[in-house]
């Protein structure tokens, strides 16, 4: 009997010192054209045979159902804080696009590698093109010439380009698509004093690739347009509250820093009053006016470069003095 016990002891310690069960629930999914994510769970506890110290992911390229080339290996050694975890995952990068690979996972103890999981096959996706080369040239006529060249890496024939562009301070971008033969476009309505972003990507049969991003800033100038919709909100016998809107976006030519209101009694031709509005609010109250008097008012906007044109004159009349007082 003693010999049998010794034999059992020898089997349990030396013949099965490594995990006899493979990692469970092995899953592989494509991340992109050159990487996949491998995830798994630890072997069932009664088949671990000791403390698992790490895992190895084995993978090999497949062609026509047969391994091709050298098998590869990625090792994940567990820190002490990780040894009791159940779920693990690893990103395997540096793969070939549109290629099939076979993956297996093994656990190991200090005694060696355990049983391998069943092979899992996965194909990487096709690669999208690299970034196109992009050149932006601003012209003086409120336009920008956009020119591009194909990416160095196209991963198959190109099928076209997509351009997104617009002011950086606006939420929406204009989106345009071009054929693979086109290589330039002239954007109009490029406003002075604004910054623009241009995003260009190339497309092959898989889809659009990474965007090449360029920005330009157009120098400020004085406004070329005047404030809009000047009108009176309310009035008393000695004051008028005025409101207006900013010049049209295309005519601001920069950041509006202040407004100037010019007003005069229509019966006094040569004594206008100039009132600066700083910061650039779009409302102001004219006070100290004469009762029951008509005033001629106009307003202009300023950028850091100076003032733009005045708006057309608008006339307002103060109320008469209340006779009952």
């Amino acid at each position: 009997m003693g010999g049998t016990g010794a034999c059992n002891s020898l089997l349990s310690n030396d013949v099965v010192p490594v995990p006899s069960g493979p990692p469970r629930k092995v899953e592989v999914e494509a991340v992109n054209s050159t990487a996949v994510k491998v995830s798994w769970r630890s072997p069932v506890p009664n088949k671990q045979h000791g403390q698992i110290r790490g895992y190895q992911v084995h993978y090999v390229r497949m062609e026509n159902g047969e391994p091709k080339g050298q098998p590869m290996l990625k090792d994940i050694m567990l820190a002490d804080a990780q040894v009791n975890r159940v779920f693990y995952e690893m990103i395997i990068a540096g793969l070939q696009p549109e290629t099939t690979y076979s993956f297996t996972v093994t656990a190991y103890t200090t005694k060696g590698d355990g049983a391998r999981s069943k092979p899992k096959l996965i194909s990487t996706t096709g690669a999208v093109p690299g970034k196109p080369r992009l050149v932006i040239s601003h012209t003086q006529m409120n336009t920008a010439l956009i020119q591009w060249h194909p990416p160095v890496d196209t991963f198959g024939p190109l099928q076209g380009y997509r351009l997104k562009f617009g002011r950086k301070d606006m939420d929406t971008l204009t989106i345009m698509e071009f054929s693979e033969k086109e290589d330039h476009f002239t954007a109009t309505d490029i406003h002075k004093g604004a910054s623009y972003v241009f995003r260009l990507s190339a497309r092959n049969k898989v889809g659009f690739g990474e965007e090449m991003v360029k920005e330009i800033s157009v120098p400020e100038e004085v406004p070329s347009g005047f404030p809009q919709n000047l009108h009176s909100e309310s009035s008393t016998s000695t004051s008028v509250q005025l409101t207006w809107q900013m010049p049209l976006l295309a005519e601001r030519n920069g950041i509006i820093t202040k407004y100037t209101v010019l007003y005069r009694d229509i019966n006094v031709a040569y004594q206008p009053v100039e009132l600066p509005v700083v910061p650039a609010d779009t409302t102001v109250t004219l006070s100290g006016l004469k009762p029951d008097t008509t005033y001629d008012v106009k307003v202009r906007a300023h950028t850091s470069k100076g003032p733009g044109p005045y708006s057309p004159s608008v006339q307002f009349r103060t109320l008469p003095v209340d006779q009952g007082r």
Side-chain angles (χ1 to χ4, degrees):
M1 292 294 291
T4 305
C7 181
N8 285 340
S9 172
L10 186 68
L11 279 171
S12 63
N13 289 324
D14 293 335
V15 178
V16 197
V18 296
S20 59
R24 297 169 294 157
K25 297 186 184 299
V26 176
E27 300 288 346
V28 288
E29 63 177 289
V31 175
N32 55 40
S33 62
T34 59
V36 301
K37 181 169 74 173
V38 185
S39 59
W40 65 92
R41 292 180 178 272
S42 56
V44 292
N46 64 0
K47 293 188 177 181
Q48 293 184 10
H49 307 301
Q51 188 79 275
I52 290 178
R53 303 309 304 175
Y55 293 90
Q56 289 180 338
V57 178
H58 303 257
Y59 57 104
V60 65
R61 185 162 58 90
M62 304 290 285
E63 276 186 21
N64 303 318
E66 297 292 330
K68 194 84 173 175
Q70 288 296 314
M72 289 160 281
L73 172 69
K74 286 278 188 179
D75 190 285
I76 176 170
M77 188 178 291
L78 302 184
D80 290 341
Q82 297 175 301
V83 293
N84 294 319
R85 275 173 51 194
V86 176
F87 179 79
Y88 302 88
E89 63 181 29
M90 172 188 280
I91 299 290
I92 306 291
L95 306 178
Q96 296 296 313
E98 293 185 283
T99 303
T100 301
Y101 290 86
S102 172
F103 288 84
T104 59
V105 185
T106 62
Y108 61 84
T109 64
T110 54
K111 298 289 187 180
D113 297 350
R116 285 195 183 194
S117 64
K118 289 181 180 177
K120 285 273 187 176
L121 294 179
I122 191 168
S123 296
T124 52
T125 60
V128 293
K131 294 180 182 180
R133 288 164 290 167
L134 181 62
V135 179
I136 312 292
S137 310
H138 174 247
T139 72
Q140 293 305 307
M141 300 302 293
N142 288 356
T143 63
L145 175 61
I146 304 149
Q147 299 170 289
W148 58 85
H149 303 280
V152 174
D153 298 316
T154 60
F155 300 107
L158 290 184
Q159 296 183 352
Y161 297 90
R162 181 173 62 198
L163 175 68
K164 304 175 187 175
F165 69 96
R167 286 179 64 123
K168 286 185 68 180
D169 57 356
M170 305 295 281
D171 290 335
T172 56
L173 297 178
T174 299
I175 300 175
M176 305 189 70
E177 294 199 7
F178 301 91
S179 75
E180 71 280 4
K181 293 184 174 64
E182 294 176 274
D183 62 4
H184 70 278
F185 171 71
T186 300
T188 56
D189 295 328
I190 301 297
H191 308 147
K192 296 180 176 70
S195 293
Y196 285 81
V197 62
F198 299 85
R199 300 175 172 273
L200 184 74
S201 55
R203 179 166 63 94
N204 62 12
K205 68 175 185 180
V206 178
F208 284 102
E210 192 177 355
E211 293 178 329
M212 172 60 85
V213 181
K214 289 280 178 107
E215 295 182 4
I216 63 167
S217 293
V218 186
E220 283 198 332
E221 290 189 13
V222 300
S224 52
F226 50 79
Q228 302 288 300
N229 194 25
L230 173 62
H231 63 282
S232 168
E233 287 285 311
S234 62
S235 61
T236 71
S237 60
T238 59
S239 68
V240 174
Q241 184 183 16
L242 302 175
T243 297
W244 58 88
Q245 293 165 348
M246 300 175 77
L248 298 175
L249 183 64
E251 299 176 345
R252 291 175 202 167
N253 297 345
I255 296 171
I256 303 302
T257 56
K258 71 172 182 177
Y259 293 94
T260 302
V261 177
L262 194 70
Y263 64 98
R264 66 178 181 86
D265 178 342
I266 62 165
N267 299 309
V268 183
Y270 301 109
Q271 290 185 321
V273 177
E274 190 172 89
L275 177 66
V277 182
V278 185
D281 289 331
T282 55
T283 183
V284 71
T285 298
L286 307 183
S287 54
L289 307 180
K290 295 184 228 175
D292 199 17
T293 302
T294 300
Y295 284 86
D296 186 90
V297 183
K298 50 190 177 183
V299 61
R300 65 181 176 181
H302 298 244
T303 65
S304 65
K305 295 295 187 181
Y310 274 109
S311 66
S313 295
V314 180
Q315 294 187 341
F316 306 106
R317 190 169 184 86
T318 53
L319 297 178
V321 175
D322 187 350
Q323 299 298 319
R325 287 181 180 172

